[in-house]
Amino acid sequence: MNTKAIDAIANAVLYEGYMLYPYRPSSVKNRQRFNFGVLYPKSYSDAQTGSDAWSMQTECLVEADSKSSLNTAIEVRVRFLKMVNRSVWNRIYTPRSTNEPEFASVATLEVAGKTYVPWQEATECEVSVPLNRLDSLTATPVRWSFEFLAKEESEYLYGGQTECHGNGKSTSGEIVGLIKRTEAAISGVVEISAEHAGQNVFKVTLSVRNLTQFEMQLQDASRHAQRADVLMQSMVSTHIVLQAEDGQFVSLLEPADECKDLAASCRNVGSWPVLVGAEGDRSLMLASPIILYDYPQIAPESPGDLFDGLEIDEILALRIMTMTDAEKFEMRNSDERARKILERTESLPMEHLVKLHGSLRELHPLKEEMP
């Protein structure tokens, strides 16, 4: 699937809400994150009486290019973020018996002028379902299971003078700390079916479900702590990219007259399918957890991701510039993506900032008044 033309839009959806202004873990709005497209484990959703979704459903229409419709097919790609728990550990001592350093978990650790704090990072996940002919899907729906395994990685923090080694690598003196990044297992299923909805028109139904086995905590555990744990096994910012071959998607927002009733019958749960790509091209569709319009675009004046599509780039840039040194210090040291936002904003040329204030597009000459 070639989605280069829509990657900017898809990534904007993927990271919406990842970290909001003021881009610091200490701010209230960043303590409970990700309100869009979160698919929780089914067991957790059931315990919450279904108030937290564990599945999403997309229904859309595909018109076959040829009368036989034998070659009309779709390819599906499900994308989401998987949370990574970053913990910080301080070296306490090294037992003589093992000569291996031992560490204690801490809330903050300063090494070589840099401060490290615990945080939930994210890694991108993708489930690709190969091309399936719609004729085949009408007879035999596809059930595509997936699993992302648990993983743990450690990174030593060194203090003191830099030491160079023969293998080309370098360390900075004695080990003084440790960063642990932990990922929990996630498993689920993608189900795709189709039905003939009219002459050369198919209705495609696609569902994504989180079937991860989640162990519920004790009843006295706080809801905030439990939600932080369950996010580790949740599919975050889940969205779907669909591509049609030998066929075209029908706009559900502005369908042709002959397809209006069919478009109105499509049932989408936690999903908002829109056409994406070049204006007029109907080969790609994005099923987003955020309401969009057909052919959404990133404004060319936007200097980069800010993870907050509900705000205005100019306002966010000005707010970042007016942060105190202490606030910028926390933003810089909390998250790598937040650090890049800060560095980009601080180096923003004045002429680019002026462009963020407003741009004129699609100017048309006024018609002369009739005498």
Side-chain angles (χ1 to χ4, degrees):
M1 180 185 293
N2 183 9
T3 60
K4 186 176 181 180
I6 67 164
D7 282 347
I9 288 294
N11 286 334
V13 171
L14 184 66
Y15 284 99
E16 177 67 20
Y18 173 78
M19 198 174 192
L20 301 177
Y21 174 85
Y23 302 111
R24 303 193 304 273
S26 61
S27 69
V28 174
K29 66 173 71 174
N30 286 318
R31 293 177 193 169
Q32 181 165 317
R33 304 152 69 200
F34 304 112
N35 297 316
F36 301 107
V38 180
L39 300 186
Y40 298 93
K42 184 178 185 303
S43 57
Y44 177 83
S45 177
D46 291 344
Q48 308 302 320
T49 65
S51 59
D52 293 314
W54 65 280
S55 66
M56 67 188 301
Q57 175 178 291
T58 298
E59 285 192 341
C60 58
L61 303 175
V62 182
E63 289 181 325
D65 282 345
S66 57
K67 291 183 179 180
S68 66
S69 73
L70 291 178
N71 296 322
T72 305
I74 62 165
E75 190 175 354
V76 172
R77 191 173 72 170
V78 179
R79 303 174 74 231
F80 61 92
L81 292 177
K82 182 184 181 188
M83 303 312 299
V84 180
N85 187 54
R86 184 184 73 201
S87 56
V88 181
W89 301 72
N90 184 35
R91 179 177 175 179
I92 47 179
Y93 71 99
T94 301
R96 291 183 179 180
S97 57
T98 62
N99 204 33
E100 290 290 330
E102 293 194 5
F103 301 88
S105 177
V106 292
T108 182
L109 180 65
E110 186 171 340
V111 178
K114 186 173 181 180
T115 301
Y116 297 88
V117 295
W119 180 244
Q120 276 192 338
E121 301 173 339
T123 185
E124 298 177 13
C125 295
E126 181 175 303
V127 179
S128 295
V129 183
L131 206 65
N132 282 279
R133 284 174 37 200
L134 297 188
D135 263 352
S136 299
L137 289 174
T138 60
T140 309
V142 165
R143 181 180 172 88
W144 189 270
S145 299
F146 61 88
E147 182 177 15
F148 293 88
L149 300 178
K151 184 169 37 173
E152 182 174 290
E153 296 178 346
S154 297
E155 174 188 351
Y156 286 124
L157 300 176
Y158 298 88
Q161 300 296 317
T162 301
E163 299 177 356
C164 297
H165 303 275
N167 58 6
K169 297 182 179 180
S170 63
T171 58
S172 300
E174 185 182 21
I175 296 173
V176 295
L178 179 72
I179 299 292
K180 284 185 182 180
R181 290 180 172 85
T182 306
E183 299 178 34
I186 292 180
S187 59
V189 65
V190 180
E191 296 182 347
I192 312 171
S193 62
E195 60 178 279
H196 289 282
Q199 186 175 10
N200 294 329
V201 178
F202 293 86
K203 177 188 280 190
V204 176
T205 301
L206 189 152
S207 65
V208 182
R209 299 172 181 171
N210 186 347
L211 303 181
T212 307
Q213 295 298 316
F214 177 74
E215 294 184 7
M216 299 298 294
Q217 304 298 313
L218 297 175
Q219 293 297 321
D220 59 353
S222 72
R223 182 171 175 80
H224 175 76
Q226 197 167 101
R227 187 177 187 277
D229 289 337
V230 77
L231 272 178
M232 295 294 295
Q233 292 184 278
S234 299
M235 301 165 61
V236 174
S237 297
T238 311
H239 61 281
I240 308 163
V241 180
L242 303 94
Q243 184 167 26
E245 184 175 291
D246 198 26
Q248 299 183 94
F249 291 104
V250 174
S251 170
L252 299 186
L253 299 178
E254 298 183 36
D257 289 342
E258 60 271 19
C259 291
K260 282 186 176 179
D261 290 341
L262 288 176
S265 71
C266 290
R267 184 170 180 266
N268 289 283
V269 181
S271 170
W272 187 263
V274 294
L275 298 173
V276 285
E279 190 85 25
D281 180 10
R282 294 194 284 137
S283 63
L284 288 169
M285 181 164 270
L286 172 65
S288 164
I290 304 168
I291 295 177
L292 301 171
Y293 47 84
D294 283 338
Y295 305 112
Q297 296 180 16
I298 301 294
E301 294 81 14
S302 178
D305 293 332
L306 289 165
F307 312 137
D308 194 349
L310 300 179
E311 279 283 6
I312 300 171
D313 285 23
E314 180 191 23
I315 292 176
L316 289 175
L318 292 173
R319 285 175 172 173
I320 292 170
M321 289 177 177
T322 57
M323 284 181 175
T324 66
D325 290 341
E327 290 170 336
K328 289 181 179 180
F329 181 84
E330 184 182 353
M331 179 178 176
R332 183 180 292 109
N333 288 283
S334 62
D335 185 90
E336 180 65 16
R337 293 184 175 92
R339 181 187 64 79
K340 290 181 179 178
I341 290 176
L342 178 60
E343 291 178 351
R344 185 181 67 232
T345 303
E346 289 186 320
S347 62
L348 201 63
M350 179 56 66
E351 58 268 25
H352 203 137
L353 190 61
V354 171
K355 288 182 180 179
L356 292 180
H357 187 65
S359 297
L360 295 176
R361 293 192 179 93
E362 300 183 10
L363 292 177
H364 301 284
L366 292 173
K367 293 182 180 179
E368 294 184 5
E369 292 185 6
M370 298 295 292

